[in-house]
Amino acid sequence: MNLFSYVFCLLLLFLSTQYLLFLLKRTRFSQKQLPPGPFPLPVIGNVLNHITNPHRSFAEIAKVYGPVMTVQLGYLTTVVISSATMARQVLQKQDLSFSTRNPWSAVSVLDHHESSIAFLPPNHQWTNLRKICKSFIFSNCRLDASGGLRRRVVQQLISHVQNHCAAGSAVEIRDAVLTALLNLITNTFFSFDLAKYGGSENQLKELVSAMVAEAGTLSGADFFPMIGAFDPQGIRRRSTIIMRKIFSLFNSIIDERLMSRKNSVSSEKNDDVLDAILSISRGKDKEFDISAIPHLLLDLFVAGTDTTSTTFEWAMTELIRNPEKLEKARAELRHIIGNGNLDKEEDIAQLPYLQAVVKETLRLHPAVAFLIPRKVSMDVHISGYTVPKGAQVLVNVWAMGREESVWEAANSFIPERFMESNIDVKGGNFELLPFGAGRRICLGMPLANRMVPYMLGSLIHSFNWKLEDGIVHMNMDDKFGFTVMKALPLRAIPFPSC
Ligand code: HEM
């Protein structure tokens, strides 16, 4: 037997054993009444049908298999939820059983998932982190107090757009908004800007974008654990390098601050989140370990920037594509604000159409199509089926927002549908869950709900917008990743508002 035949026989033996094991496991599961789903191929399961844009392909097959279905992604049994009734079961009625995360390759390097607010199981450490973030950043009273900071960040964004307006050149919307958001978060934590507009060298922006890209790449290692150690796509290797650089940047800022706290008199203290958490990490209760700060910062940068800039880009895209809706939103702003700037966030409360535009954007284009994947750590029963221990659970909020039986003209952008309705996005209406629901609901939702309408209102009130010359049709293709973003970035030209 030559070497080739020998290797071939070994491979065949390996695959047959794996398939037998798989069939055995499936028979065991079928006695437990797994939710229905497409029949899986040996070893690879259904993975090949769902590599690109799984939010769309899962929505399609849910029409056949129903709102709770099983899809076999290699070795990872995945249960996909696609209706409001089933989402209520998972996120409200049996919330605790479904609240553990399923951290994937890119986010578990350097043991990030063991300190991460987004990936820790719902234990004491996680509760403590959420409590700290709420009380120092996201409570209504903290957000009211930091309104001036957001005003300044939005003013910088307007100045950047103003330069393009004067030059008649296009703004790359997602990139501009990303810069604004990075500066909002760095100012909240450190009291200074770290990101710059334009093409100048921008270490933090590049690192965060690179981390988001790695976190959004489907990794074969997550579906086929036996190849995980080889890191075939290089995701773990690249994520480790990026995360190390981000941590080193944050650690140098923390060290500098510790030094200046040591040397300064108490009246010179910065009144920012870093100071507050450094104080509690030094307090006698040791509520917070200083080594957890870089992990927390990483989560807030990654979870807060890409989601918000993607949502903003879709809102601008839909408005430019539907000029009559854009004009209606601008007319409302003119009527309420007059010719001045939208400089107070509180004015948003008087702009119901602008708020409806944001809700409609979140319905059609929820940034995080499946929420952040959950996992069950024991068998859980739902609607007569068993979700087996270790299964990953995805809630397809993208499909639920386009469900024809719930939403009239589900694929059209019609903000008016929210004008006479009490449905909101805060986790109580299970047909509309862009921020998730239950105990793992998005931590930054109160900030996003202020920031998105404020930036959108400011940019459409201060400027009018058109596509670049020669572009007649807006390309609406989307691309699945950490967020479902527009495949071709929106570039639009601002011109003076009359
Ligand atoms: C439009 C903007 C945003 C959208 C659409 C969004 C969406 C989401 C979604 C769907 C989840 C998962 C919820 C679940 O599993 O039930 C999530 C979690 C999270 N979000 Fe957001 N988010 C946005 C903005 C933000 C901002 C601005 C921040 C912070 C600066 C943030 C921080 C987080 C964190 C830390 C988590 C993890 C919470 C946990 O696991 O306990 N998000 N977000």
Side-chain angles (χ1 to χ4, degrees):
M1 197 187 264
N2 64 24
L3 182 66
F4 176 76
S5 320
Y6 182 69
V7 172
F8 182 74
C9 286
L10 269 182
L11 191 67
L12 207 65
L13 186 69
F14 174 73
L15 290 179
S16 323
T17 323
Q18 292 296 322
Y19 190 46
L20 280 175
L21 282 174
F22 170 72
L23 285 180
L24 204 73
K25 202 168 129 197
R26 223 181 145 73
T27 319
R28 239 185 27 237
F29 280 166
S30 62
Q31 285 158 4
K32 290 186 184 172
Q33 269 290 353
L34 267 188
F39 192 80
L41 289 173
V43 184
I44 58 171
N46 313 108
V47 86
L48 290 182
N49 298 333
H50 304 288
I51 288 177
T52 46
N53 288 335
H55 56 303
R56 288 178 183 276
S57 60
F58 286 167
E60 252 339 282
I61 62 170
K63 290 181 188 152
V64 179
Y65 298 104
V68 192
M69 61 180 181
T70 310
V71 183
Q72 193 62 41
L73 301 176
Y75 282 70
L76 184 62
T77 301
T78 298
V79 171
V80 185
I81 304 295
S82 316
S83 79
T85 315
M86 289 303 137
R88 184 189 291 276
Q89 286 290 330
V90 167
L91 303 173
Q92 186 186 57
K93 301 242 160 74
Q94 306 194 65
D95 183 22
L96 187 57
S97 310
F98 289 97
S99 278
T100 299
R101 296 288 192 203
N102 185 30
W104 55 98
S105 305
V107 298
S108 39
V109 298
L110 303 181
D111 292 335
H112 175 61
H113 61 300
E114 289 177 11
S115 304
S116 153
I117 191 166
F119 294 101
L120 277 167
N123 57 16
H124 175 70
Q125 194 184 351
W126 170 80
T127 312
N128 199 25
L129 281 170
R130 277 195 76 113
K131 204 174 78 195
I132 288 170
C133 287
K134 269 195 194 144
S135 56
F136 290 117
I137 313 173
F138 299 117
S139 68
N140 271 336
C141 104
R142 285 286 172 171
L143 285 173
D144 287 347
S146 56
L149 175 56
R150 290 190 292 284
R151 207 163 25 250
R152 187 169 73 74
V153 165
V154 171
Q155 278 312 318
Q156 285 174 349
L157 176 64
I158 291 178
S159 306
H160 169 69
V161 174
Q162 184 61 55
N163 293 339
H164 282 273
C165 182
S169 58
V171 179
E172 192 153 312
I173 299 291
R174 193 192 308 155
D175 185 73
V177 170
L178 188 66
T179 306
L181 292 163
L182 284 168
N183 282 337
L184 177 66
I185 303 182
T186 54
N187 273 289
T188 308
F189 271 88
F190 313 131
S191 306
F192 56 76
D193 292 346
L194 252 183
K196 297 187 195 81
Y197 285 98
S200 51
E201 197 196 314
N202 213 323
Q203 196 194 10
L204 180 68
K205 195 153 111 188
E206 279 161 22
L207 288 172
V208 171
S209 300
M211 193 63 234
V212 166
E214 295 302 334
T217 307
L218 292 181
S219 159
D222 293 325
F223 306 141
F224 304 101
M226 59 279 198
I227 59 167
F230 304 109
D231 190 21
Q233 292 154 275
I235 293 178
R236 289 184 67 83
R237 184 181 53 78
R238 287 191 302 274
S239 303
T240 308
I241 296 172
I242 300 164
M243 223 187 259
R244 277 217 175 96
K245 286 189 181 163
I246 295 182
F247 286 167
S248 136
L249 181 66
F250 290 154
N251 280 325
S252 64
I253 296 171
I254 294 167
D255 289 346
E256 223 170 88
R257 178 64 63 85
L258 283 172
M259 190 66 82
S260 84
R261 276 163 64 102
K262 212 162 126 191
N263 297 336
S264 72
V265 281
S266 57
S267 60
E268 284 178 52
K269 274 191 355 193
N270 294 69
D271 190 17
D272 55 22
V273 177
L274 182 58
D275 249 3
I277 52 184
L278 282 175
S279 297
I280 57 170
S281 72
R282 294 285 162 107
K284 64 175 175 358
D285 296 338
K286 291 266 182 295
E287 265 182 272
F288 191 72
D289 189 320
I290 205 167
S291 64
I293 299 179
H295 293 278
L296 178 62
L297 287 170
L298 175 64
D299 278 354
L300 295 181
F301 275 101
V302 169
T305 51
D306 206 46
T307 46
T308 313
S309 57
T310 297
T311 304
F312 188 89
E313 183 181 46
W314 281 119
M316 284 293 281
T317 301
E318 290 289 4
L319 286 177
I320 295 174
R321 196 166 80 114
N322 294 281
E324 72 295 350
K325 316 274 180 208
L326 175 57
E327 193 34 50
K328 202 166 164 181
R330 286 165 49 78
E332 184 187 61
L333 279 152
R334 275 196 305 272
H335 178 63
I336 302 294
I337 312 293
N339 287 332
N341 283 344
L342 171 65
D343 47 22
K344 290 201 303 300
E345 254 175 16
E346 302 86 80
D347 291 338
I348 303 295
Q350 299 174 58
L351 298 163
Y353 192 72
L354 181 70
Q355 292 178 43
V357 165
V358 174
K359 278 188 195 171
E360 181 67 343
T361 304
L362 288 164
R363 177 187 73 82
L364 269 178
H365 307 285
V368 191
F370 298 142
L371 307 184
I372 302 180
R374 290 106 183 285
K375 163 171 101 173
V376 289
S377 36
M378 61 177 83
D379 286 0
V380 182
H381 303 286
I382 163 176
S383 187
Y385 299 115
T386 304
V387 180
K389 178 180 171 186
Q392 164 174 261
V393 179
L394 306 178
V395 181
N396 193 348
V397 292
W398 184 91
M400 286 155 53
R402 290 171 184 241
E403 174 56 60
E404 302 277 352
S405 62
V406 176
W407 305 99
E408 211 182 314
N411 286 302
S412 305
F413 183 75
I414 311 176
E416 288 73 10
R417 69 174 88 239
F418 288 109
M419 292 297 279
E420 304 297 325
S421 132
N422 290 329
I423 293 183
D424 71 25
V425 292
K426 295 181 183 159
N429 299 104
F430 286 79
E431 61 275 49
L432 186 65
L433 294 176
F435 295 100
R439 70 191 69 209
R440 291 230 78 137
I441 194 169
C442 171
L443 183 65
M445 179 175 68
L447 174 61
N449 280 340
R450 290 182 187 224
M451 203 57 190
V452 175
Y454 182 34
M455 285 192 298
L456 187 64
S458 298
L459 288 199
I460 62 175
H461 186 49
S462 305
F463 307 95
N464 213 334
W465 293 85
K466 61 178 183 188
L467 288 176
E468 282 182 293
D469 289 346
I471 300 183
V472 187
H473 293 297
M474 180 82 82
N475 180 305
M476 293 298 284
D477 290 349
D478 60 17
K479 189 171 79 181
F480 182 87
F482 181 73
T483 59
V484 178
M485 60 173 64
K486 205 170 162 302
L488 292 180
L490 172 65
R491 292 173 52 81
I493 301 182
F495 59 97
S497 184
C498 30

